[in-house]
Amino acid sequence: MIILDYKDARPIYEQVVEKFKFLILKGVLEKDEQMPSVRSLAVELSINPNTIQKAYAELERQGYIYAVKGRGNFISDSTGLLDERKEELKLRLKELYQEGKELGMVKADFVECLNRLDE
């Protein structure tokens, strides 16, 4: 389910957060589905349970999961989160477009780049 890249400069917990966010937004993990326990995921990934706890705390802070005392962590409804993520991407795209315009690129240049991505 999750593969860590030990050559990545980012902390392990950030990689865990990113992987779970991706799985949640893609619908692989569904609303109200139970997350793996901290201990079992730590054993599976061969990392410290505190690292998993930190990742789960960050996912909860961002609204991707919720905790039920004594039962574990569960996936939140990601509909709003997916829309929010799409808006973030649109904003980043707009910033890139503005930067490209400042460098002399025109809309056709961007369209050509996007068309080449599908090849």
Side-chain angles (χ1 to χ4, degrees):
M1 183 189 310
I2 292 182
I3 299 172
L4 300 174
D5 180 4
Y6 293 101
K7 294 179 184 175
D8 193 326
R10 293 173 303 154
I12 299 295
Y13 89 93
E14 285 182 9
Q15 292 183 50
V16 172
V17 168
E18 181 184 299
K19 304 288 185 185
F20 272 116
K21 285 169 63 171
F22 177 78
L23 292 171
I24 292 167
L25 292 175
K26 291 290 285 182
V28 176
L29 298 174
E30 297 178 357
K31 180 180 184 258
D32 297 325
E33 184 176 336
Q34 188 167 10
M35 297 280 287
S37 73
V38 170
R39 184 172 293 160
S40 68
L41 188 58
V43 168
E44 181 181 327
L45 298 176
S46 299
I47 58 178
N48 190 311
N50 292 334
T51 303
I52 301 299
Q53 188 61 45
K54 187 173 183 179
Y56 279 13
E58 182 62 21
L59 286 166
E60 185 174 4
R61 188 188 68 74
Q62 293 182 22
Y64 286 87
I65 65 173
Y66 62 94
V68 176
K69 192 169 182 94
R71 301 238 8 252
N73 295 289
F74 296 84
I75 307 298
S76 297
D77 182 10
S78 63
T79 308
L81 296 170
L82 183 58
D83 293 339
E84 187 178 301
R85 182 75 173 131
K86 286 179 181 179
E87 288 304 314
E88 288 174 15
L89 289 173
K90 287 178 185 177
L91 181 60
R92 286 179 31 206
L93 186 59
K94 184 177 180 181
E95 291 169 356
L96 284 173
Y97 180 69
Q98 291 297 339
E99 186 177 337
K101 280 178 48 177
E102 291 171 7
L103 295 173
M105 293 177 73
V106 294
K107 193 180 229 178
D109 296 328
F110 287 94
V111 171
E112 182 182 334
C113 286
L114 289 172
N115 287 335
R116 277 190 272 158
L117 293 175
D118 289 333
E119 294 176 354

